[in-house]
Amino acid sequence: MTTVNSVEEKIVSSGTGARILGISERTVRYYCEIGQLRAYKLGKSWHIYRSSLDDLIRQRSNDLGIKESAIAAGTAVAASVSKHSPVRR
């Protein structure tokens, strides 16, 4: 964890950020490069502030007119559906 303004903040990799956002890692790296995500590059790897991911999720949901409670409910429903979905072979 990194200390920013005397508050510890969690850092995640671009791969983890991609999974959290549900987009490709390449897109996450692009967002880092253009400054849409608050991150820093160490060697070839991007390290993203978790709060920046949360801010992007909140911004996107507000752009779509979705309330945060609906996002949380949708996540729970999606997890429930994936557990009970029939397996096709």
Side-chain angles (χ1 to χ4, degrees):
M1 287 193 222
T2 301
T3 303
V4 178
N5 296 330
S6 73
V7 175
E8 283 195 21
E9 190 163 359
K10 187 170 183 182
I11 305 292
V12 298
S13 68
S14 56
T16 300
R19 285 189 295 279
I20 291 169
L21 295 173
I23 58 177
S24 72
E25 188 173 352
R26 184 176 184 177
T27 301
V28 169
R29 289 192 307 263
Y30 173 71
Y31 286 170
C32 293
E33 290 171 7
I34 65 170
Q36 190 162 0
L37 287 172
R38 201 165 46 96
Y40 60 91
K41 194 169 187 182
L42 189 59
K44 294 183 178 182
S45 302
W46 281 99
H47 302 273
I48 307 161
Y49 292 94
R50 174 58 203 241
S51 62
S52 181
L53 296 172
D54 296 337
D55 291 344
L56 183 62
I57 292 168
R58 211 172 287 111
Q59 173 191 350
R60 295 260 166 115
S61 64
N62 288 340
D63 291 346
L64 296 173
I66 301 171
K67 294 183 180 178
E68 287 186 43
S69 58
I71 294 169
T75 303
V77 169
S80 173
V81 169
S82 66
K83 286 181 185 175
H84 302 294
S85 296
V87 177
R88 294 183 184 186
R89 297 174 194 223

